[in-house]
Amino acid sequence: MMFDDLNTPGGHETPSGAGIPARGGIPRGSEGAQPAPLADREVPLPGAAPSLLHQWLDGDVSTAIFRATPGGNEAVDLWNKIHDEAETLRSRTTPLYVHKRIMDALPDDKYRENRPWYKRPVAMNPALIALAAAVLLGLGAIIARAVLH
Amino acid sequence: MTNPAAISTEPVDQADLDQEVIRRVLSGSRDAFEVLIVRYSDPLYRHALGMTGSPDVAEDILQQSFIKAYQHLSEVRGRFDAWVFRIVANACKDWLKNIRRTHVSYDEDDQPSSYSTPDEELDRNELRTDLEVALAALAPSLREAFVMKHVEGRSYEEMAELLGTTVGALKMRVHRAREALQHLLEEKYA
């Protein structure tokens, strides 16, 4: 069984935007004057007051009062089981290897060009080594000449 | 219900600290990004786990989302935690909409058992499986609202801020999700 999603247009950015929320932290789906999706309409149906179950689950009605209603006991037992399960899930943490995996997968050169030149890593190659050696030799010669004279 | 995830109830200066880290990353310090990963991965992982029911998928979604966040870091305006949450939330909903899943559940990994007796563990595993099946029957937006409210323990206001929608709309989604789950599970468990 699949419960229909009646509110596809709202509250979710399109995949074409690579899942990146709009600038300013405002989801693109909330912009514009589109009518609220059917599932989100806030106007209550005539005569349909919020049920006691929701009031209880939202903390607006005590468990004792809710238990006293028809079917209340069974509902409390069921939701206690669901909450126990939720509690287990809530204690889960990210496995530590995931942090390293993410860091290893980050592109290396994305913001490298923004780094000051003196902080950038120098890639050594034979030509650069030869150039550095020549510069050092030249400097040495100049210093030696200055000292000897 | 308490809220240990508490992404948006962090002190205000947490946003400033995030901005400082972002500034460092953008100026070329790639390693600084790890601070943001460590700071926010747990609540994001729990959201992905609640939405997909699979630790492996949750890890993949977390990784892809952080890489996406890194690549678009210069586009962050406002709070980083809310921004990266929306990336993860969208990835989860896309996964739910696109994937044709075989059976997956969040007990498929090697987490140590915390149940006192084998019978209790068996009962809990059965409930977990049934709950996962029931959650899988919900539309992604309903599942998202239910997970944020009942698994992550967020307030409606916090949910509205993170998802960019109204409290009333989220209440409707949570109510629909509860009624659907109750309908699916009450025969067996109530």
Side-chain angles (χ1 to χ4, degrees):
Chain A
M1 181 171 10
M2 178 76 182
F3 287 85
D4 288 340
D5 186 2
L6 300 173
N7 56 349
T8 18
H12 174 45
E13 292 81 39
T14 57
S16 61
I20 304 298
R23 284 171 181 254
I26 308 292
R28 283 191 282 268
S30 65
E31 291 168 2
Q34 288 186 343
L38 190 57
D40 292 348
R41 303 248 168 104
E42 294 171 46
V43 181
L45 296 171
S51 79
L52 217 54
L53 170 73
H54 300 307
Q55 291 180 36
W56 170 62
L57 287 172
D58 286 334
D60 299 331
V61 164
S62 74
T63 304
I65 291 174
F66 183 60
R67 271 193 189 279
T69 61
N73 262 330
E74 293 79 5
V76 169
D77 291 345
L78 170 64
W79 281 96
N80 282 344
K81 285 176 188 161
I82 293 173
H83 282 160
D84 285 349
E85 201 46 50
E87 200 71 49
T88 306
L89 183 53
R90 200 178 306 144
S91 65
R92 299 290 293 267
T93 54
T94 320
L96 285 178
Y97 61 82
V98 175
H99 294 169
K100 187 178 179 321
R101 214 175 79 183
I102 296 170
M103 284 306 291
D104 289 347
L106 292 180
D108 239 352
D109 52 355
K110 177 73 183 170
Y111 302 112
R112 186 181 285 171
E113 66 276 14
N114 298 344
R115 209 179 299 185
W117 64 269
Y118 52 85
K119 285 188 178 174
R120 288 180 202 171
V122 179
M124 297 302 278
N125 57 47
L128 199 64
I129 292 169
L131 182 68
V135 169
L136 287 174
L137 208 64
L139 278 173
I142 292 167
I143 292 167
R145 196 170 168 181
V147 170
L148 291 177
H149 289 277
Chain B
M1 196 175 283
T2 55
N3 181 10
I7 278 191
S8 62
T9 55
E10 295 285 316
V12 177
D13 60 340
Q14 189 68 64
D16 295 338
L17 292 174
D18 289 350
Q19 286 304 320
E20 171 58 23
V21 173
I22 290 169
R23 195 193 58 73
R24 280 167 52 205
V25 175
L26 291 177
S27 58
S29 175
R30 178 180 170 277
D31 291 347
F33 193 69
E34 191 165 12
V35 174
L36 297 174
I37 295 173
V38 171
R39 193 173 286 168
Y40 295 116
S41 63
D42 282 350
L44 297 172
Y45 175 71
R46 281 192 285 270
H47 182 80
L49 192 53
M51 288 295 285
T52 64
S54 162
D56 290 341
V57 175
E59 287 170 19
D60 286 347
I61 284 178
L62 195 65
Q63 176 171 340
Q64 295 306 320
S65 298
F66 270 117
I67 291 171
K68 210 172 268 183
Y70 179 78
Q71 287 174 326
H72 295 264
L73 204 57
S74 58
E75 296 169 22
V76 178
R77 302 286 182 276
R79 280 174 32 203
F80 173 80
D81 57 343
W83 183 77
V84 75
F85 177 87
R86 282 194 285 271
I87 295 176
V88 171
N90 288 344
C92 291
K93 282 192 278 192
D94 287 342
W95 184 85
L96 283 172
K97 282 176 182 171
N98 295 334
I99 201 93
R100 183 177 289 279
R101 288 176 299 160
T102 54
H103 172 75
V104 287
S105 76
Y106 52 80
D107 62 350
E108 70 191 13
D109 62 351
D110 299 328
Q111 291 279 320
S113 167
S114 60
Y115 307 127
S116 51
T117 66
D119 279 350
E120 191 187 347
E121 183 165 353
L122 213 62
D123 288 347
R124 290 292 293 266
N125 282 342
E126 193 180 354
L127 170 66
R128 183 175 293 178
T129 304
D130 289 339
L131 185 57
E132 175 53 39
V133 169
L135 283 170
L138 298 179
S141 64
L142 300 189
R143 180 171 183 157
E144 176 182 64
F146 182 83
V147 166
M148 290 179 79
K149 181 68 185 163
H150 286 285
V151 176
E152 297 165 26
R154 299 179 191 280
S155 67
Y156 287 116
E157 290 73 18
E158 192 182 355
M159 290 164 64
E161 193 182 345
L162 285 171
L163 297 176
T165 187
T166 64
V167 168
L170 286 165
K171 278 187 177 175
M172 289 300 289
R173 291 181 202 174
V174 170
H175 288 191
R176 283 172 192 271
R178 284 171 181 167
E179 284 159 15
L181 288 179
Q182 172 125 353
H183 173 73
L184 291 166
L185 294 171
E186 69 185 347
E187 204 168 294
K188 186 169 180 181
Y189 290 98

